């Protein structure tokens, strides 16, 4: 029933009974969805960057995709760190993760936008597209995850 997945989070195949189990399953699902969608979107944007600006577009798109996908994993990490807190605190951490992602990406864009060897538009478009795609993947992963809420069906209380 319990097993570790490759990202170091715990997977539980049985019914989720406690809040910590629910948050762990949710954050694992969100991290997997964001990582897969972020990588695929980065590849598509890198091809677009090559077409638009050649090697500077490729390097900018690859860097932007790496930064955006990496920042997308901030929300599941924050959720894992708050599993022992009240549900409102976990939701606040998830919202804080979304806000931090946007701030990190804006700071990275302003810092790296004028760097030589990087196409600024490829960097900006890739960061924006990957940010939107990974956020949507996190939301979809949370929506598709089926969690049993209530008592344990195997207990005498059910």
């Amino acid at each position: 029933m319990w097993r570790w997945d490759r990202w170091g989070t715990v997977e539980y195949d049985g019914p989720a009974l406690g809040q910590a189990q629910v948050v762990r399953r949710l954050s694992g699902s969100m991290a997997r969805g964001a990582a897969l969608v972020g990588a695929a979107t980065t590849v598509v944007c890198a091809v677009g960057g090559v077409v638009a600006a050649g090697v500077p577009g490729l390097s900018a798109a690859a860097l932007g995709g790496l930064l955006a996908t990496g920042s997308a994993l901030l929300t599941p990490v924050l959720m894992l760190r708050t599993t022992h807190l009240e549900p409102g605190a976990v939701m606040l951490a998830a919202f804080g993760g979304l806000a931090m992602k946007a701030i990190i990406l804006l700071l990275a864009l302003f810092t790296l936008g004028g760097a030589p060897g990087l196409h600024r538009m490829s960097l900006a478009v890739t960061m924006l597209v990957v940010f939107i795609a990974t956020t949507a993947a996190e939301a979809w992963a949370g929506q598709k995850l089926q969690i049993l809420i209530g008592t344990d069906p195997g207990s005498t209380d059910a």
Side-chain angles (χ1 to χ4, degrees):
M1 281 184 117
W2 292 93
R3 70 178 192 277
W4 289 91
D5 67 3
R6 70 178 80 152
W7 290 283
T9 57
V10 176
E11 281 290 321
Y12 179 67
D13 292 333
L17 299 173
Q19 177 197 341
Q21 292 170 339
V22 170
V23 172
R24 283 187 194 107
R25 285 184 68 192
L26 182 59
S27 65
S29 179
M30 289 171 65
R32 280 188 298 278
L36 292 174
V37 169
T41 308
T42 299
V43 169
V44 171
C45 289
V47 170
V50 168
V51 169
V55 175
L58 173 66
S59 58
L63 180 62
L66 180 68
L67 288 172
T69 304
S71 70
L73 299 177
L74 178 66
T75 301
V77 168
L78 286 174
M79 289 176 62
L80 278 177
R81 296 288 180 197
T82 59
T83 56
H84 62 283
L85 299 176
E86 293 294 320
V90 176
M91 292 189 69
L92 182 63
F95 178 72
L98 178 66
M100 284 302 296
K101 281 191 282 193
I103 291 170
I104 288 170
L105 292 179
L106 278 174
L107 290 175
L109 180 62
F110 290 141
T111 304
L112 298 172
L118 292 178
H119 186 243
R120 184 179 182 128
M121 188 58 70
S122 296
L123 179 69
V125 167
T126 301
M127 283 183 166
L128 181 63
V129 169
V130 173
F131 174 77
I132 292 170
T134 54
T135 303
E138 287 176 340
W140 182 73
Q143 184 270 336
K144 78 173 182 75
L145 188 67
Q146 295 183 1
I147 299 171
L148 174 67
I149 299 175
T151 60
D152 180 7
S155 72
T156 58
D157 297 335

